[in-house]
Amino acid sequence: MIHRLTSALYILFGLLFMAMSSVIATSVSTFRPFGRLMYIFEKFWAKTLLLFTGAKIRVTGLEHIRPGRPYIFVSNHQSLFDIPLMMGYIPRQIRMIHKKELLWAPFLGFTLLVMRFISIDRGNRDKAIISLQKAAEKIRRGVNIVIFAEGTRSLDGEISPFKKGAFLLAINSQVDIIPVTISGTINIMHKYGGLTNVGFRRPVEMILDAPISTDGLTAEQRDELRLKVEQAVTANFEKIKSLSEIGDQSFLEKMKKKKAQRKPI
């Protein structure tokens, strides 16, 4: 009961903070959506959300980010908290390609909209292509893009096969990819956890690997590139996988029920 009450208070604080952030982001982005002031605000927004969870965060590999070059950061995806983790601790102003459904999340959706994030309609191929074209335009202007290549959040803490869109975008843009591995955020907020089951003081680790070049690659080589990035993320995940072990058995029971419902009668 105490844990659920604490979680509810955190969510209430989060919603109020998101509402305030939306107002500030709207004001700042009207004039300089990618300026220094917005950069400072983004870092403050992201780290504040994480600070109040008490998460014990460790980040390695930042030395791989070279000055003056845009990147596509390709990551696995465990939780909604992956967004503030990457925005807060990657020393770049980044924009994410996210599923359009997040635009309906209270306050978060509006913040994503005014901060010029890129929504993608996974159920409409033509619209998805247009979203990737917009992302390519941002990259050519020097904006760093984040893509969660699995396409959805993990339910069991494991990494699912990566989808091809991120790699076609990287090849078309001729921009290096930095593989990013995240572990532990699934225990801050699981997809099945609800708003009253936030995990506090959980260890979280993020590893950035060396950039993988796309120079000279063609669209026909996207599977080769995908495999190379996926292997880098998976190899690093094996080192920190223990942080993603799910301790709440109720989540595992929900996953079993979901899988059982998908089976044909």
Side-chain angles (χ1 to χ4, degrees), residues 41 47 80 82 86 127 134 209:
F41 168 72
K47 288 188 175 181
L80 291 177
D82 296 341
M86 297 187 78
K127 289 183 179 180
K134 289 180 180 179
D209 213 303

Side-chain angles (χ1 to χ4, degrees), residues 158-217:
E158 299 291 341
I159 296 178
S160 299
F162 285 1
K163 298 183 182 299
K164 299 177 182 179
F167 310 100
L168 188 58
L169 172 63
I171 290 171
N172 289 340
S173 306
Q174 290 292 285
V175 172
D176 289 358
I177 290 175
I178 290 187
V180 180
T181 306
I182 293 172
S183 186
T185 53
I186 195 169
N187 286 315
I188 296 179
M189 182 175 282
H190 192 280
K191 189 173 183 178
Y192 291 155
L195 297 181
T196 58
N197 205 348
V198 177
F200 294 98
R201 296 179 295 279
R202 300 302 174 91
V204 171
E205 188 157 354
M206 180 168 66
I207 301 175
L208 281 71
D209 213 303
I212 295 176
S213 175
T214 62
D215 288 347
L217 295 184

Side-chain angles (χ1 to χ4, degrees), residues 44-253:
F44 169 76
W45 172 81
K47 288 188 175 181
T48 299
L49 286 176
L50 289 166
L51 174 66
F52 282 88
T53 68
K56 302 169 185 177
I57 298 169
R58 183 170 184 262
V59 179
T60 57
L62 294 179
E63 69 276 5
H64 294 307
I65 301 176
R66 300 165 192 161
R69 301 185 65 174
Y71 293 99
I72 295 177
F73 296 90
V74 175
S75 175
N76 64 311
H77 195 15
Q78 292 200 334
S79 167
L80 291 177
F81 277 88
D82 296 341
I83 296 175
L85 176 66
M86 297 187 78
M87 288 193 72
Y89 288 89
I90 291 178
R92 288 290 180 89
Q93 192 168 35
I94 58 178
R95 292 294 180 266
M96 299 182 182
I97 296 179
H98 63 87
K99 62 180 182 179
K100 69 171 186 176
E101 288 79 6
L102 281 182
L103 293 175
W104 298 102
F107 302 114
L108 173 62
F110 185 69
T111 303
L112 295 176
L113 185 64
V114 299
M115 290 172 67
R116 314 290 174 86
F117 280 58
I118 303 164
S119 65
I120 188 166
D121 186 346
R122 295 182 298 184
N124 187 312
R125 185 176 180 275
D126 292 337
K127 289 183 179 180
I129 290 173
I130 292 173
S131 295
L132 291 177
Q133 290 171 345
K134 289 180 180 179
E137 291 172 8
K138 288 184 184 293
I139 293 168
R140 284 190 282 270
R141 294 199 301 267
V143 177
N144 298 270
I145 297 292
V146 170
I147 300 179
F148 296 114
E150 295 166 285
T152 189
R153 285 167 285 170
S154 173
L155 295 179
D156 57 6
E158 299 291 341
I159 296 178
S160 299
F162 285 1
K163 298 183 182 299
K164 299 177 182 179
F167 310 100
L168 188 58
L169 172 63
I171 290 171
N172 289 340
S173 306
Q174 290 292 285
V175 172
D176 289 358
I177 290 175
I178 290 187
V180 180
T181 306
I182 293 172
S183 186
T185 53
I186 195 169
N187 286 315
I188 296 179
M189 182 175 282
H190 192 280
K191 189 173 183 178
Y192 291 155
L195 297 181
T196 58
N197 205 348
V198 177
F200 294 98
R201 296 179 295 279
R202 300 302 174 91
V204 171
E205 188 157 354
M206 180 168 66
I207 301 175
L208 281 71
D209 213 303
I212 295 176
S213 175
T214 62
D215 288 347
L217 295 184
T218 64
E220 287 71 28
Q221 294 172 289
R222 62 184 180 275
D223 283 331
E224 177 185 331
L225 178 62
R226 177 186 60 79
L227 183 60
K228 188 180 295 186
V229 175
E230 188 175 319
Q231 287 175 339
V233 172
T234 302
N236 284 324
F237 186 71
E238 289 301 316
K239 304 172 188 176
I240 55 177
K241 185 176 180 178
S242 61
L243 302 181
S244 295
E245 292 179 0
I246 299 174
D248 193 323
Q249 293 298 312
S250 66
F251 298 157
L252 300 177
E253 290 300 319

